[in-house]
mmCIF file of all heavy atoms in Angstrom:
data_model
loop_
_atom_site.group_PDB
_atom_site.id
_atom_site.type_symbol
_atom_site.label_atom_id
_atom_site.label_comp_id
_atom_site.label_asym_id
_atom_site.label_seq_id
_atom_site.Cartn_x
_atom_site.Cartn_y
_atom_site.Cartn_z
ATOM 1 N N LEU A 1 16.170 23.801 -40.227
ATOM 2 C CA LEU A 1 15.355 22.823 -39.486
ATOM 3 C C LEU A 1 14.895 23.443 -38.135
ATOM 4 O O LEU A 1 15.605 24.255 -37.544
ATOM 5 C CB LEU A 1 16.065 21.543 -39.284
ATOM 6 C CG LEU A 1 16.515 20.734 -40.436
ATOM 7 C CD1 LEU A 1 17.197 19.421 -40.026
ATOM 8 C CD2 LEU A 1 15.223 20.351 -41.268
ATOM 9 N N ASP A 2 13.781 22.902 -37.702
ATOM 10 C CA ASP A 2 13.378 23.289 -36.276
ATOM 11 C C ASP A 2 14.409 22.761 -35.313
ATOM 12 O O ASP A 2 15.126 21.751 -35.532
ATOM 13 C CB ASP A 2 12.000 22.642 -35.976
ATOM 14 C CG ASP A 2 10.836 23.192 -36.765
ATOM 15 O OD1 ASP A 2 11.041 24.348 -37.238
ATOM 16 O OD2 ASP A 2 9.825 22.518 -36.913
ATOM 17 N N ILE A 3 14.470 23.431 -34.143
ATOM 18 C CA ILE A 3 15.301 22.987 -33.073
ATOM 19 C C ILE A 3 14.544 22.284 -32.023
ATOM 20 O O ILE A 3 13.372 22.655 -31.799
ATOM 21 C CB ILE A 3 16.114 24.240 -32.478
ATOM 22 C CG1 ILE A 3 17.182 23.745 -31.527
ATOM 23 C CG2 ILE A 3 15.170 25.202 -31.817
ATOM 24 C CD1 ILE A 3 18.107 24.808 -31.092
ATOM 25 N N THR A 4 15.059 21.212 -31.483
ATOM 26 C CA THR A 4 14.306 20.416 -30.461
ATOM 27 C C THR A 4 14.625 20.957 -29.043
ATOM 28 O O THR A 4 15.556 21.723 -28.824
ATOM 29 C CB THR A 4 14.702 18.946 -30.553
ATOM 30 O OG1 THR A 4 16.080 18.809 -30.138
ATOM 31 C CG2 THR A 4 14.396 18.368 -31.921
ATOM 32 N N ARG A 5 13.791 20.506 -28.126
ATOM 33 C CA ARG A 5 14.038 20.877 -26.767
ATOM 34 C C ARG A 5 15.384 20.499 -26.252
ATOM 35 O O ARG A 5 16.066 21.247 -25.550
ATOM 36 C CB ARG A 5 12.910 20.279 -25.877
ATOM 37 C CG ARG A 5 11.547 20.946 -26.119
ATOM 38 C CD ARG A 5 10.428 20.244 -25.390
ATOM 39 N NE ARG A 5 10.621 19.988 -23.965
ATOM 40 C CZ ARG A 5 10.466 20.932 -23.035
ATOM 41 N NH1 ARG A 5 10.012 22.081 -23.283
ATOM 42 N NH2 ARG A 5 10.688 20.588 -21.736
ATOM 43 N N GLU A 6 15.827 19.296 -26.608
ATOM 44 C CA GLU A 6 17.137 18.811 -26.162
ATOM 45 C C GLU A 6 18.251 19.646 -26.807
ATOM 46 O O GLU A 6 19.254 19.918 -26.205
ATOM 47 C CB GLU A 6 17.259 17.317 -26.224
ATOM 48 C CG GLU A 6 17.448 16.823 -27.633
ATOM 49 C CD GLU A 6 17.702 15.341 -27.692
ATOM 50 O OE1 GLU A 6 17.488 14.598 -26.680
ATOM 51 O OE2 GLU A 6 17.932 14.819 -28.811
ATOM 52 N N GLN A 7 18.127 19.955 -28.090
ATOM 53 C CA GLN A 7 19.134 20.735 -28.772
ATOM 54 C C GLN A 7 19.276 22.162 -28.147
ATOM 55 O O GLN A 7 20.328 22.615 -27.935
ATOM 56 C CB GLN A 7 18.790 20.862 -30.295
ATOM 57 C CG GLN A 7 18.943 19.587 -31.005
ATOM 58 C CD GLN A 7 18.411 19.621 -32.396
ATOM 59 O OE1 GLN A 7 17.487 20.381 -32.696
ATOM 60 N NE2 GLN A 7 18.960 18.784 -33.296
ATOM 61 N N LEU A 8 18.093 22.735 -27.858
ATOM 62 C CA LEU A 8 18.083 24.035 -27.201
ATOM 63 C C LEU A 8 18.794 23.952 -25.793
ATOM 64 O O LEU A 8 19.556 24.795 -25.432
ATOM 65 C CB LEU A 8 16.676 24.539 -27.011
ATOM 66 C CG LEU A 8 16.533 25.869 -26.320
ATOM 67 C CD1 LEU A 8 17.221 26.984 -27.013
ATOM 68 C CD2 LEU A 8 15.013 26.233 -26.169
ATOM 69 N N ALA A 9 18.462 22.871 -25.049
ATOM 70 C CA ALA A 9 19.103 22.713 -23.759
ATOM 71 C C ALA A 9 20.625 22.577 -23.885
ATOM 72 O O ALA A 9 21.343 23.233 -23.063
ATOM 73 C CB ALA A 9 18.504 21.450 -23.052
ATOM 74 N N VAL A 10 21.102 21.876 -24.869
ATOM 75 C CA VAL A 10 22.599 21.684 -25.055
ATOM 76 C C VAL A 10 23.178 23.129 -25.419
ATOM 77 O O VAL A 10 24.267 23.450 -24.877
ATOM 78 C CB VAL A 10 22.885 20.731 -26.143
ATOM 79 C CG1 VAL A 10 24.323 20.742 -26.550
ATOM 80 C CG2 VAL A 10 22.456 19.281 -25.730
ATOM 81 N N ILE A 11 22.584 23.878 -26.255
ATOM 82 C CA ILE A 11 23.134 25.202 -26.613
ATOM 83 C C ILE A 11 23.199 26.112 -25.446
ATOM 84 O O ILE A 11 24.251 26.773 -25.194
ATOM 85 C CB ILE A 11 22.269 25.802 -27.725
ATOM 86 C CG1 ILE A 11 22.423 25.041 -29.059
ATOM 87 C CG2 ILE A 11 22.649 27.295 -27.930
ATOM 88 C CD1 ILE A 11 21.383 25.412 -30.154
ATOM 89 N N LEU A 12 22.151 26.155 -24.640
ATOM 90 C CA LEU A 12 22.151 26.990 -23.508
ATOM 91 C C LEU A 12 23.160 26.448 -22.418
ATOM 92 O O LEU A 12 23.764 27.257 -21.723
ATOM 93 C CB LEU A 12 20.712 27.049 -22.875
ATOM 94 C CG LEU A 12 19.661 27.624 -23.844
ATOM 95 C CD1 LEU A 12 18.285 27.617 -23.212
ATOM 96 C CD2 LEU A 12 20.013 29.068 -24.231
ATOM 97 N N TYR A 13 23.236 25.247 -22.231
ATOM 98 C CA TYR A 13 24.169 24.628 -21.276
ATOM 99 C C TYR A 13 25.524 24.999 -21.659
ATOM 100 O O TYR A 13 26.390 25.394 -20.802
ATOM 101 C CB TYR A 13 23.948 23.112 -21.345
ATOM 102 C CG TYR A 13 24.889 22.308 -20.331
ATOM 103 C CD1 TYR A 13 24.768 22.508 -18.959
ATOM 104 C CD2 TYR A 13 25.759 21.368 -20.804
ATOM 105 C CE1 TYR A 13 25.543 21.760 -18.125
ATOM 106 C CE2 TYR A 13 26.558 20.635 -19.973
ATOM 107 C CZ TYR A 13 26.470 20.852 -18.636
ATOM 108 O OH TYR A 13 27.222 20.153 -17.759
ATOM 109 N N ARG A 14 25.896 24.872 -22.871
ATOM 110 C CA ARG A 14 27.226 25.286 -23.372
ATOM 111 C C ARG A 14 27.449 26.785 -23.189
ATOM 112 O O ARG A 14 28.505 27.239 -22.739
ATOM 113 C CB ARG A 14 27.446 24.907 -24.834
ATOM 114 C CG ARG A 14 27.483 23.482 -25.075
ATOM 115 C CD ARG A 14 27.558 23.088 -26.522
ATOM 116 N NE ARG A 14 27.675 21.656 -26.776
ATOM 117 C CZ ARG A 14 27.528 21.139 -28.026
ATOM 118 N NH1 ARG A 14 27.321 21.923 -29.087
ATOM 119 N NH2 ARG A 14 27.627 19.864 -28.135
ATOM 120 N N TYR A 15 26.411 27.590 -23.586
ATOM 121 C CA TYR A 15 26.610 29.049 -23.375
ATOM 122 C C TYR A 15 26.727 29.415 -21.953
ATOM 123 O O TYR A 15 27.503 30.372 -21.609
ATOM 124 C CB TYR A 15 25.326 29.768 -23.954
ATOM 125 C CG TYR A 15 25.401 31.221 -23.956
ATOM 126 C CD1 TYR A 15 26.162 31.949 -24.846
ATOM 127 C CD2 TYR A 15 24.918 31.915 -22.876
ATOM 128 C CE1 TYR A 15 26.267 33.330 -24.822
ATOM 129 C CE2 TYR A 15 25.007 33.348 -22.824
ATOM 130 C CZ TYR A 15 25.698 33.977 -23.821
ATOM 131 O OH TYR A 15 25.804 35.391 -23.723
ATOM 132 N N ALA A 16 26.119 28.732 -21.069
ATOM 133 C CA ALA A 16 26.184 29.043 -19.635
ATOM 134 C C ALA A 16 27.556 28.527 -19.045
ATOM 135 O O ALA A 16 27.807 28.741 -17.905
ATOM 136 C CB ALA A 16 25.067 28.369 -18.826
ATOM 137 N N GLY A 17 28.387 27.884 -19.779
ATOM 138 C CA GLY A 17 29.712 27.468 -19.388
ATOM 139 C C GLY A 17 29.711 26.071 -18.748
ATOM 140 O O GLY A 17 30.531 25.847 -17.880
ATOM 141 N N TYR A 18 28.788 25.163 -19.131
ATOM 142 C CA TYR A 18 28.711 23.848 -18.595
ATOM 143 C C TYR A 18 28.575 23.808 -17.058
ATOM 144 O O TYR A 18 29.406 23.256 -16.344
ATOM 145 C CB TYR A 18 29.971 22.994 -19.011
ATOM 146 C CG TYR A 18 30.180 22.782 -20.483
ATOM 147 C CD1 TYR A 18 30.758 23.788 -21.272
ATOM 148 C CD2 TYR A 18 29.691 21.721 -21.126
ATOM 149 C CE1 TYR A 18 30.924 23.660 -22.637
ATOM 150 C CE2 TYR A 18 29.843 21.462 -22.505
ATOM 151 C CZ TYR A 18 30.446 22.475 -23.238
ATOM 152 O OH TYR A 18 30.593 22.272 -24.593
ATOM 153 N N PRO A 19 27.606 24.498 -16.559
ATOM 154 C CA PRO A 19 27.446 24.598 -15.073
ATOM 155 C C PRO A 19 27.319 23.221 -14.422
ATOM 156 O O PRO A 19 26.845 22.287 -14.984
ATOM 157 C CB PRO A 19 26.184 25.373 -14.859
ATOM 158 C CG PRO A 19 25.591 25.574 -16.180
ATOM 159 C CD PRO A 19 26.457 25.071 -17.272
ATOM 160 N N SER A 20 27.840 23.089 -13.246
ATOM 161 C CA SER A 20 27.793 21.865 -12.461
ATOM 162 C C SER A 20 26.358 21.440 -12.216
ATOM 163 O O SER A 20 25.496 22.302 -11.830
ATOM 164 C CB SER A 20 28.626 22.056 -11.194
ATOM 165 O OG SER A 20 28.453 20.872 -10.329
ATOM 166 N N VAL A 21 26.157 20.144 -12.239
ATOM 167 C CA VAL A 21 24.782 19.636 -11.905
ATOM 168 C C VAL A 21 24.826 18.871 -10.584
ATOM 169 O O VAL A 21 23.849 18.275 -10.143
ATOM 170 C CB VAL A 21 24.204 18.733 -13.039
ATOM 171 C CG1 VAL A 21 23.998 19.563 -14.318
ATOM 172 C CG2 VAL A 21 25.149 17.563 -13.267
ATOM 173 N N LYS A 22 25.934 18.886 -9.931
ATOM 174 C CA LYS A 22 26.176 18.064 -8.719
ATOM 175 C C LYS A 22 25.230 18.402 -7.622
ATOM 176 O O LYS A 22 24.881 17.561 -6.805
ATOM 177 C CB LYS A 22 27.629 18.150 -8.259
ATOM 178 C CG LYS A 22 28.608 17.441 -9.247
ATOM 179 C CD LYS A 22 29.983 17.548 -8.747
ATOM 180 C CE LYS A 22 30.919 16.890 -9.777
ATOM 181 N NZ LYS A 22 32.320 16.995 -9.370
ATOM 182 N N HIS A 23 24.830 19.732 -7.488
ATOM 183 C CA HIS A 23 23.993 20.173 -6.379
ATOM 184 C C HIS A 23 22.547 19.807 -6.586
ATOM 185 O O HIS A 23 21.687 20.111 -5.732
ATOM 186 C CB HIS A 23 24.193 21.580 -6.000
ATOM 187 C CG HIS A 23 23.929 22.532 -7.067
ATOM 188 N ND1 HIS A 23 24.745 22.779 -8.126
ATOM 189 C CD2 HIS A 23 22.809 23.295 -7.255
ATOM 190 C CE1 HIS A 23 24.227 23.714 -8.925
ATOM 191 N NE2 HIS A 23 23.092 24.009 -8.395
ATOM 192 N N TYR A 24 22.113 19.255 -7.763
ATOM 193 C CA TYR A 24 20.759 18.929 -8.003
ATOM 194 C C TYR A 24 20.489 17.415 -7.700
ATOM 195 O O TYR A 24 19.914 16.688 -8.462
ATOM 196 C CB TYR A 24 20.439 19.112 -9.474
ATOM 197 C CG TYR A 24 20.543 20.568 -9.946
ATOM 198 C CD1 TYR A 24 21.504 20.946 -10.906
ATOM 199 C CD2 TYR A 24 19.750 21.570 -9.388
ATOM 200 C CE1 TYR A 24 21.615 22.229 -11.336
ATOM 201 C CE2 TYR A 24 19.893 22.873 -9.764
ATOM 202 C CZ TYR A 24 20.758 23.198 -10.747
ATOM 203 O OH TYR A 24 20.911 24.474 -11.172
ATOM 204 N N VAL A 25 20.928 16.984 -6.538
ATOM 205 C CA VAL A 25 20.844 15.589 -6.140
ATOM 206 C C VAL A 25 19.485 15.040 -5.882
ATOM 207 O O VAL A 25 19.274 13.813 -5.945
ATOM 208 C CB VAL A 25 21.799 15.278 -4.945
ATOM 209 C CG1 VAL A 25 23.291 15.476 -5.371
ATOM 210 C CG2 VAL A 25 21.426 16.099 -3.755
ATOM 211 N N ASN A 26 18.541 15.942 -5.592
ATOM 212 C CA ASN A 26 17.212 15.478 -5.249
ATOM 213 C C ASN A 26 16.259 15.399 -6.421
ATOM 214 O O ASN A 26 15.063 15.188 -6.258
ATOM 215 C CB ASN A 26 16.525 16.360 -4.157
ATOM 216 C CG ASN A 26 17.379 16.283 -2.823
ATOM 217 O OD1 ASN A 26 17.829 15.263 -2.546
ATOM 218 N ND2 ASN A 26 17.364 17.348 -2.147
ATOM 219 N N THR A 27 16.820 15.514 -7.607
ATOM 220 C CA THR A 27 16.036 15.530 -8.829
ATOM 221 C C THR A 27 16.572 14.434 -9.722
ATOM 222 O O THR A 27 17.739 14.194 -9.799
ATOM 223 C CB THR A 27 16.086 16.881 -9.518
ATOM 224 O OG1 THR A 27 15.675 17.886 -8.637
ATOM 225 C CG2 THR A 27 15.173 16.939 -10.765
ATOM 226 N N SER A 28 15.653 13.814 -10.511
ATOM 227 C CA SER A 28 16.052 12.764 -11.437
ATOM 228 C C SER A 28 15.252 12.889 -12.688
ATOM 229 O O SER A 28 14.083 13.038 -12.607
ATOM 230 C CB SER A 28 15.910 11.413 -10.851
ATOM 231 O OG SER A 28 16.206 10.427 -11.764
ATOM 232 N N LEU A 29 15.895 12.685 -13.850
ATOM 233 C CA LEU A 29 15.155 12.721 -15.080
ATOM 234 C C LEU A 29 14.300 11.460 -15.198
ATOM 235 O O LEU A 29 13.373 11.416 -15.989
ATOM 236 C CB LEU A 29 16.091 12.868 -16.265
ATOM 237 C CG LEU A 29 16.836 14.215 -16.460
ATOM 238 C CD1 LEU A 29 17.723 14.198 -17.574
ATOM 239 C CD2 LEU A 29 15.833 15.369 -16.547
ATOM 240 N N THR A 30 14.654 10.413 -14.429
ATOM 241 C CA THR A 30 13.910 9.183 -14.575
ATOM 242 C C THR A 30 12.484 9.374 -13.942
ATOM 243 O O THR A 30 11.647 8.456 -14.127
ATOM 244 C CB THR A 30 14.606 8.027 -13.844
ATOM 245 O OG1 THR A 30 14.812 8.388 -12.448
ATOM 246 C CG2 THR A 30 15.925 7.723 -14.450
ATOM 247 N N ASP A 31 12.238 10.453 -13.338
ATOM 248 C CA ASP A 31 10.908 10.794 -12.833
ATOM 249 C C ASP A 31 9.938 11.123 -13.943
ATOM 250 O O ASP A 31 8.699 11.111 -13.794
ATOM 251 C CB ASP A 31 10.878 11.978 -11.878
ATOM 252 C CG ASP A 31 11.676 11.725 -10.633
ATOM 253 O OD1 ASP A 31 11.814 10.474 -10.284
ATOM 254 O OD2 ASP A 31 12.103 12.697 -9.962
ATOM 255 N N TYR A 32 10.448 11.317 -15.174
ATOM 256 C CA TYR A 32 9.651 11.671 -16.336
ATOM 257 C C TYR A 32 9.435 10.484 -17.235
ATOM 258 O O TYR A 32 10.421 9.607 -17.430
ATOM 259 C CB TYR A 32 10.290 12.793 -17.101
ATOM 260 C CG TYR A 32 10.399 14.075 -16.274
ATOM 261 C CD1 TYR A 32 11.588 14.354 -15.612
ATOM 262 C CD2 TYR A 32 9.388 14.933 -16.179
ATOM 263 C CE1 TYR A 32 11.706 15.482 -14.807
ATOM 264 C CE2 TYR A 32 9.467 16.114 -15.396
ATOM 265 C CZ TYR A 32 10.651 16.317 -14.741
ATOM 266 O OH TYR A 32 10.724 17.466 -13.928
ATOM 267 N N LEU A 33 8.299 10.262 -17.700
ATOM 268 C CA LEU A 33 7.924 9.097 -18.514
ATOM 269 C C LEU A 33 8.738 8.875 -19.778
ATOM 270 O O LEU A 33 9.024 7.730 -20.141
ATOM 271 C CB LEU A 33 6.445 9.077 -18.830
ATOM 272 C CG LEU A 33 5.422 9.075 -17.727
ATOM 273 C CD1 LEU A 33 4.014 9.217 -18.308
ATOM 274 C CD2 LEU A 33 5.575 7.758 -16.973
ATOM 275 N N ASP A 34 9.176 9.916 -20.396
ATOM 276 C CA ASP A 34 9.892 9.842 -21.604
ATOM 277 C C ASP A 34 11.367 10.205 -21.536
ATOM 278 O O ASP A 34 12.097 10.539 -22.539
ATOM 279 C CB ASP A 34 9.220 10.744 -22.709
ATOM 280 C CG ASP A 34 9.176 12.188 -22.310
ATOM 281 O OD1 ASP A 34 9.508 12.568 -21.134
ATOM 282 O OD2 ASP A 34 8.780 13.019 -23.170
ATOM 283 N N TYR A 35 11.981 10.014 -20.364
ATOM 284 C CA TYR A 35 13.335 10.378 -20.234
ATOM 285 C C TYR A 35 14.313 9.497 -21.122
ATOM 286 O O TYR A 35 15.374 9.970 -21.404
ATOM 287 C CB TYR A 35 13.824 10.211 -18.732
ATOM 288 C CG TYR A 35 14.097 8.809 -18.269
ATOM 289 C CD1 TYR A 35 15.422 8.298 -18.241
ATOM 290 C CD2 TYR A 35 13.087 8.011 -17.862
ATOM 291 C CE1 TYR A 35 15.630 7.037 -17.904
ATOM 292 C CE2 TYR A 35 13.333 6.722 -17.446
ATOM 293 C CZ TYR A 35 14.609 6.249 -17.444
ATOM 294 O OH TYR A 35 14.862 4.943 -17.058
#
């Protein structure tokens, strides 16, 4: 099956070692219409 954008993001996130997202405080996914 094709891989989706979110599935790719999860694979890369896991490969990168689950990096912290705490320092990205000025960004929100709710800024996107389809979050």
Side-chain angles (χ1 to χ4, degrees):
L1 294 180
D2 291 337
I3 189 169
T4 65
R5 290 172 51 82
E6 71 179 8
Q7 290 169 334
L8 178 60
V10 168
I11 291 168
L12 298 177
Y13 181 64
R14 290 174 180 170
Y15 183 81
Y18 299 84
S20 174
V21 296
K22 292 180 182 178
H23 62 280
Y24 298 118
V25 295
N26 294 326
T27 305
S28 174
L29 291 180
T30 59
D31 294 339
Y32 299 94
L33 296 175
D34 58 352
Y35 80 95

